[in-house]
Amino acid sequence: MNKLYIGNVSEEASAEDLETIFEQWKIPHSGPFLVKTGYAFVDCPDEKIAMKAIDILSGKVDLHGKLLEVEHSVPKRQRAMEKLNGFLMENFALKVSYIPDEMATADAPPLGGGRRGFVPRGPPRSGSPGMGARPKLQSEVPLRILVPTQFVGAIIGKEGATIRNITKQTHSKIDIHRKENAGAAEKPITVHSTPEGCSNACRTIMEIMQKEALDTKFTEEIPLKILAHNNFVGRLIGKEGRNLKKIEVDTETKITISPLQDLTLYNPERTITVKGSIEACSRAEEEVMKKVRESYENDVAAMNLQSNLIPGLNLNALGLFPGGAPGMGPSMGHNVPPPGAQGGYSFGGQPESETVHLFIPALAVGAIIGKQGQHIKQLSRYAGASIKVAPPEGMDTKQRMVIIAGPPEAQFKAQGRIFGKLKEENFFGPKEEVKLEAHIKVPSFAAGRVIGKGGKTVNELQNLTSAEVVVPRDQTPDENDQVIVKITGHFYASQLAQRKIQEILSQVRRQQQPKPSPRGEGPPLPRPSRK
């Protein structure tokens, strides 16, 4: 693909201006500049020069006060899809894909030949809604793989012919992220399709790389490298590595996973390296992605349950999943709730602040606070909560208390990031789930409601949330006449238990409120005494 699209072009710019820039940076071009209002096109002699132009000019060179944007020219529909995908509308992220109609009449009359330029279409495709069958749904989780940079050109093909062919055959949308990690030995590829379409595209890409390796006498082994968000990798590995071992045995492959130390806040993906024949790697990809998609669906279900418990909770804004699909992009730190999103409510309709005491390993305090307190300050701003680490209670304290104060959505964000930080920093083993103890205080008169008759309510809470919920007996209420409820579990279990307990407290508070007198009636008059 040697045609370049040059965007963000000033209205004052001319073809001569662009030609001067290309000459200045010693970038040859094989045709004239076609300049339109706000953008331009130009042809390059080959793919290598086109890539050079993108790397040197895009976002770096100024023309009449505007930084040029240079990328490969793609059809308008593809550019529209790229701009619209992920666009937030009414708190929902748009997902746009193009489905070509292969059955459309090939020799349709030109525009203008029918009514108002309408082009007659062919009969509905087999499996289309018009045929009474539902089409296969595109997976919410795209397949992301890493490929050696030297094979990217072969995957794209001359003028993009190969990648277009793969896209058409597998009914998928394929993004090759060549601008990422300039100069890196590997480039990520994202495949959006059904699980079957993703697997077919992956196999075809592996076959192209194998053929290119033979043609170029490349002798090193080319493993399949799958990228998966760290949130899902623990469940892929399974308890004591059983899930991963089963996939290796069933598919006759060798699978390794990059260490947690490679993760950063802005790169939460782990690399799953699969070695074996193309056939074996294809089978392994299907099994690996099946586990990843199951984990994603379970997490979305848990978050949707959370959203029902917290009115107005904006799940996409919490940054606990990678973005793209609901929650599938590398950046987790800069998402913010939209205006008006409320984390909870009080009787006045405003978010009501809550205080939670979260207990973390004493050795993890430094990681949570960060150098000169930078991490805890950033976390506090991100979550919209007050976060403090309490002083140790003694010399040999194994746990430290983190005091978090803020509305429900802030609690969700702050606690979620603390759970994640402890996992990233290896305070829990790679096969160990992060489980923490949280304390919330409740009015002593409401403790019985949390426990329920014969412990019925607290038992139902534990069954519903999978968290351990304990109201210690024989507690002495504090100076505010409050007692502690202890909640222990993984993040979603703990959050769900906290929300259910707050729901119980809200009911108790409502019942405690005095009922207003009927309109127009004052206090009852005293009855006259008899003489």
Side-chain angles (χ1 to χ4, degrees), residues 353-411:
S353 185
E354 303 168 358
T355 299
V356 177
H357 295 168
L358 193 65
F359 290 82
I360 64 172
L363 294 173
V365 169
I368 297 300
I369 294 175
K371 190 175 181 180
Q372 297 179 336
Q374 285 303 307
H375 184 264
I376 200 166
K377 289 175 186 172
Q378 289 173 357
L379 178 56
S380 182
R381 283 196 298 269
Y382 159 76
S386 166
I387 306 172
K388 298 175 183 176
V389 179
E393 293 183 355
M395 293 294 292
D396 300 324
T397 303
K398 292 184 178 179
Q399 287 192 318
R400 292 283 292 278
M401 181 170 70
V402 180
I403 304 166
I404 306 168
E409 190 165 332
Q411 292 287 348

Side-chain angles (χ1 to χ4, degrees), residues 444-465:
S444 59
F445 62 82
R449 290 287 296 272
V450 175
I451 297 169
K453 190 174 182 181
K456 182 182 177 184
T457 303
V458 78
N459 287 335
E460 287 176 349
L461 264 176
Q462 294 184 124
N463 291 334
L464 171 69
T465 65

Side-chain angles (χ1 to χ4, degrees), residues 41-357:
F41 296 100
V42 69
D43 288 315
C44 289
D46 56 44
E47 172 69 18
K48 188 175 179 182
I49 291 171
M51 282 299 298
K52 178 184 175 184
I54 292 170
D55 291 338
I56 291 175
L57 303 178
S58 190
K60 300 170 186 173
V61 175
D62 180 286
L63 179 60
H64 295 301
K66 289 190 170 186
L67 284 177
L68 297 178
E69 296 174 0
V70 184
E71 58 188 67
H72 284 286
S73 176
V74 295
K76 285 183 180 178
R77 62 169 178 266
Q78 187 173 335
R79 195 175 301 123
M81 286 189 292
E82 288 172 358
K83 287 183 182 292
L84 289 172
N85 260 314
F87 182 83
L88 281 177
M89 179 178 286
E90 296 181 359
N91 297 345
F92 290 93
L94 296 181
K95 286 179 61 183
V96 183
S97 58
Y98 172 73
I99 304 175
D101 191 347
E102 295 88 354
M103 297 297 290
T105 309
D107 55 351
L111 287 177
R115 173 177 55 86
R116 293 195 179 183
F118 175 74
V119 180
R121 306 296 293 271
R125 284 173 290 159
S126 175
S128 72
M131 297 291 286
R134 295 184 65 183
K136 290 184 179 178
L137 295 175
Q138 177 173 306
S139 171
E140 295 281 2
V141 183
L143 169 66
R144 281 175 53 77
I145 60 175
L146 278 177
V147 301
T149 302
Q150 65 260 45
F151 297 134
V152 168
I155 294 167
I156 293 171
K158 190 175 181 181
E159 297 183 351
T162 305
I163 197 72
R164 278 199 301 271
N165 194 39
I166 300 172
T167 300
K168 184 176 179 181
Q169 287 180 352
T170 61
H171 302 288
S172 57
K173 177 183 181 290
I174 303 176
D175 296 321
I176 301 178
H177 307 281
R178 284 183 294 180
K179 294 182 186 178
E180 290 186 18
N181 306 324
E186 296 172 313
K187 296 292 183 183
I189 294 178
T190 305
V191 184
H192 302 266
S193 186
T194 62
E196 183 184 359
C198 289
S199 296
N200 290 340
C202 180
R203 179 197 291 265
T204 305
I205 289 170
M206 285 193 290
E207 289 170 350
I208 290 168
M209 289 195 294
Q210 192 69 49
K211 183 178 183 303
E212 182 69 8
L214 290 171
D215 293 345
T216 58
K217 297 182 172 56
F218 183 84
T219 55
E220 295 177 24
E221 184 180 8
I222 310 170
L224 170 63
K225 293 189 176 183
I226 302 169
L227 295 172
H229 194 280
N230 185 52
N231 284 1
F232 311 135
V233 170
R235 284 165 284 184
L236 168 65
I237 295 170
K239 192 173 183 181
E240 298 176 353
R242 290 174 193 163
N243 291 347
L244 203 59
K245 189 66 181 172
K246 185 176 188 306
I247 294 173
E248 286 183 310
V249 171
D250 291 349
T251 62
E252 298 178 345
T253 55
K254 175 66 179 171
I255 304 175
T256 55
I257 298 177
S258 62
L260 279 164
Q261 289 89 328
D262 292 351
L263 294 175
T264 67
L265 185 64
Y266 301 104
N267 178 27
E269 290 178 306
R270 308 269 292 273
T271 303
I272 302 161
T273 303
V274 185
K275 294 184 177 180
S277 65
I278 288 179
E279 180 64 35
C281 287
S282 294
R283 293 200 307 272
E285 178 274 328
E286 290 176 12
E287 294 302 317
V288 166
M289 289 306 297
K290 182 179 177 184
K291 286 286 181 190
V292 169
R293 290 179 183 113
E294 284 175 0
S295 300
Y296 169 79
E297 287 162 7
N298 290 340
D299 285 358
V300 167
M303 290 190 77
N304 285 336
L305 187 54
Q306 283 289 137
S307 70
N308 292 332
L309 295 171
I310 307 177
L313 178 64
N314 178 17
L315 300 181
N316 285 335
L318 295 176
L320 298 177
F321 283 137
M328 305 265 1
S331 175
M332 300 192 296
H334 56 266
N335 295 313
V336 293
Q342 292 183 350
Y345 58 91
S346 62
F347 299 116
Q350 293 300 314
E352 184 173 319
S353 185
E354 303 168 358
T355 299
V356 177
H357 295 168

Side-chain angles (χ1 to χ4, degrees), residues 424-457:
E424 287 172 20
E425 299 287 344
N426 296 324
F427 290 104
F428 291 79
K431 299 170 186 175
E432 189 180 2
E433 196 165 29
V434 180
K435 290 187 176 181
L436 299 179
E437 183 174 309
H439 291 183
I440 59 177
K441 290 186 175 182
V442 304
S444 59
F445 62 82
R449 290 287 296 272
V450 175
I451 297 169
K453 190 174 182 181
K456 182 182 177 184
T457 303

